[in-house]
Amino acid sequence: MAKITYQHPNGTVTVVDVEAPNTVMRGAKLNNVDGIEAQCGGSAQCGTCHVYVDEASTVVLPEMDPVEDDVLYGTACERTEHSRLSCQLPVTEALDGLLVHLPEAQS
Amino acid sequence: MAAPAVVVVGAGQAGVETAAALRGRGFTGRITLIGDEPPWAGYRPPLSKGYLAGAAPAEDMALRPASFFAERDIEIRVGDRATSVDPERRTVTLRSGLRVPYDRLVLATGSRPRQLPVPGASLGGVLTLRSRADADELRARLSDPPRRLVVVGAGFIGLEVAATARGLGHEVTVVDVQRRALARALTPVLSSRVVAEHRAHGVRVLLGREVTALHGDTEGQVQIMELDGGERIAADLAVIGVGVLPHTDLALTADLMVGDGIVVDERLRTSDPDIYALGDCARFPSPRAGRHLRIESVQNASDQAKCVAAGICDEPFAYTSVPWFWSEQYGLRMQLAGLTAGHDEVVTSGDVEGGRFSVFSFRAGRLIGVESVNRPADHGISRRLLASDTTLTPDEVRAPGFDLKKLPRTSPTERVAVRT
Ligand SMILES: Cc1cc2nc3c(=O)[nH]c(=O)nc-3n(C[C@H](O)[C@H](O)[C@H](O)COP(=O)(O)OP(=O)(O)OC[C@H]3O[C@@H](n4cnc5c(N)ncnc54)[C@H](O)[C@@H]3O)c2cc1C
Ligand code: FES
């Protein structure tokens, strides 16, 4: 289990506990956190689960695979070096304390 | 004035997203969502893919968890069905007899599979695929001994079922009366590549052939599929994927304008301004196609929901999103952006044989649609290009070293022309 914080563009935050084997995307869905659309249901097709990992985060994330990298070209909001697809971030103990910022728009 | 009371009929992709988008905009009025199917069984894409294969769990089918509706103060009635609308009194009557008043009504009734108009179409083992229950039945029949599956219709659902069943080791034949697969949705380049992939995996694909009858055994179970010319193919199971019909019955009770879908304007209002329609059941004016059309996709239902919510909140919004769709068959990840119908030129970039390429469709020199296979960056960038006024010419795609990733990023609000 990991504590994940989702920060909305207006500054409000939602903190939820997410169990493995969910992803950061599913953690938001299961806990009714707005701001992640996930139109493709987590199959790395749509880019509508885009998040920005907090710049100051020390949480070590899994490496980005080439498909995720490619899908991030299509996000509605600008991609930055902190961009990830939340559906490609499986939740493990290692993600405990992760803070992600939600973009203004997903599609 | 108090916020209007909104009734949404249909708790599928479009209906649930409309209710969510209304609350997301801070709408405080009453929202009632009526569905004959629960929203925790309403996300359909895995039904012909991972869920059918036994890989995706049932939880993946939830549009929203049950708690969502209580948390957002959305009154939800599932297992009931709206049977008529009285636009004078502004009420919806349910099968249970309940009458629900509305100020704004949203029709998100979706569509149902078309039946095959041939003898034998109602035999046992002749299935269509729309709901979780349909998928469960098909999955049960595909478990255990190898089956001879015939699929009628080489559209997305038929081909996805064929690929999944083949992956499970069944013997599969696909028949379509059209001379090419996915003729309405895809360019010939992609449709022949898809068919080649099916054939390479051992699926028998018969194009330009008509199914004339299905014959059963003494227990009324399908046994034979008969084709034009009399050819008979043994079948333990038949899946019919010959398109869908929009649910318009309810709209007709309100005397709304209907014709292959509930006719709406660019803000998704029906011929009664207090009634909206969206998703699979709605026929809307597409600025991209230059005509009215219906689109059956998650993207369309979800994005139209935002438009309807804005309309109910009296905010200006017209539906102009770039349509997009995805499909997965064998290892091919297919993604479509825009609409390719009416193209007069196509340019292919990448390795078609190897299954990593994109097909760019143009009309009068203007980019109208892009199909990508295992090229997700091309897809994403194309979606943004199509949403902006940026131009991309056939010659640019043909130029050696062409790479969409090298184009400067554009967004729908930037009105820039990219030239090399
Ligand atoms: C097997 C399958 C695979 C698919 N794969 C993809 C894919 O990969 N990508 C993609 O983009 N799209 C895919 N789609 C299409 C996508 O699922 C639909 O376009 C989308 O669900 C449309 O949403 P909707 O809300 O308009 O209709 P639906 O999701 O069908 O929802 C309509 C709901 O309204 C209910 N209803 C109807 N009439 C009434 C009434 N009178 N009273 C109460 N309730 C009523 C229906 O029972 C249904 O629950 C797939 C569809 C299927 C069937
Ligand atoms: S949910 Fe579609 S890419 Fe993550």
Side-chain angles (χ1 to χ4, degrees), chain B residues 320-360:
Chain B
T320 57
S321 298
V322 177
W324 78 267
F325 190 82
W326 79 96
S327 178
E328 279 179 87
Q329 293 164 37
Y330 313 105
L332 296 184
R333 291 160 51 92
M334 285 183 251
Q335 298 174 292
L336 323 179
L339 299 165
T340 58
H343 65 256
D344 52 27
E345 186 170 4
V346 296
V347 186
T348 303
S349 154
D351 175 9
V352 178
E353 283 293 303
R356 257 182 80 77
F357 62 99
S358 293
V359 184
F360 296 79

Side-chain angles (χ1 to χ4, degrees), chain B residues 198-248:
Chain B
H198 278 270
R199 290 186 172 140
H201 281 84
V203 172
R204 194 169 162 208
V205 185
L206 305 173
L207 299 171
R209 300 292 303 276
E210 200 168 344
V211 176
T212 50
L214 296 163
H215 302 285
D217 60 17
T218 48
E219 270 141 45
Q221 293 292 313
V222 69
Q223 195 175 35
I224 303 277
M225 172 174 71
E226 187 175 329
L227 301 182
D228 49 2
E231 188 183 348
R232 293 160 79 87
I233 295 173
D236 306 309
L237 197 57
V239 172
I240 312 299
V242 294
V244 299
L245 296 172
H247 278 297
T248 54

Side-chain angles (χ1 to χ4, degrees), chain A residues 26 29-34 36-48 66-79 106-107, chain B residues 17 24 43 59-60 63-65 67-68 71-72 298-299 302-303 306 324 326-328 333-335 356 375-377 379-381 383-384 405 409 411:
Chain A
R26 190 149 291 278
K29 283 278 172 189
L30 290 172
N31 291 284
N32 302 327
V33 178
D34 280 335
I36 288 185
E37 290 193 15
Q39 291 185 358
C40 75
S43 52
Q45 305 261 7
C46 69
T48 68
V67 170
E68 177 179 352
D69 181 58
D70 270 9
V71 174
L72 282 167
Y73 279 91
T75 55
C77 286
E78 195 78 41
R79 169 187 192 164
Q106 292 284 15
S107 64
Chain B
E17 292 306 320
Y43 184 69
E59 300 86 75
D60 278 8
L63 286 164
R64 302 277 173 171
S67 62
F68 180 83
E71 243 178 52
R72 307 291 144 113
V298 169
Q299 170 277 321
S302 303
D303 289 348
K306 293 172 198 145
W324 78 267
W326 79 96
S327 178
E328 279 179 87
R333 291 160 51 92
M334 285 183 251
Q335 298 174 292
R356 257 182 80 77
R375 292 267 286 240
H379 171 71
I381 297 165
R383 259 157 67 188
R384 295 207 320 266
K405 287 185 187 174
R409 188 180 162 106
S411 76

Side-chain angles (χ1 to χ4, degrees), chain B residues 347-350 358-360 362 367 370 375 378 381-382 385 392-407 420:
Chain B
V347 186
T348 303
S349 154
S358 293
V359 184
F360 296 79
F362 298 88
L367 185 69
V370 180
R375 292 267 286 240
D378 280 7
I381 297 165
S382 300
L385 279 177
L392 180 72
T393 63
D395 283 342
E396 283 171 298
V397 180
R398 269 189 291 260
F402 166 75
D403 185 354
L404 269 186
K405 287 185 187 174
K406 293 192 188 133
L407 290 182
T420 43

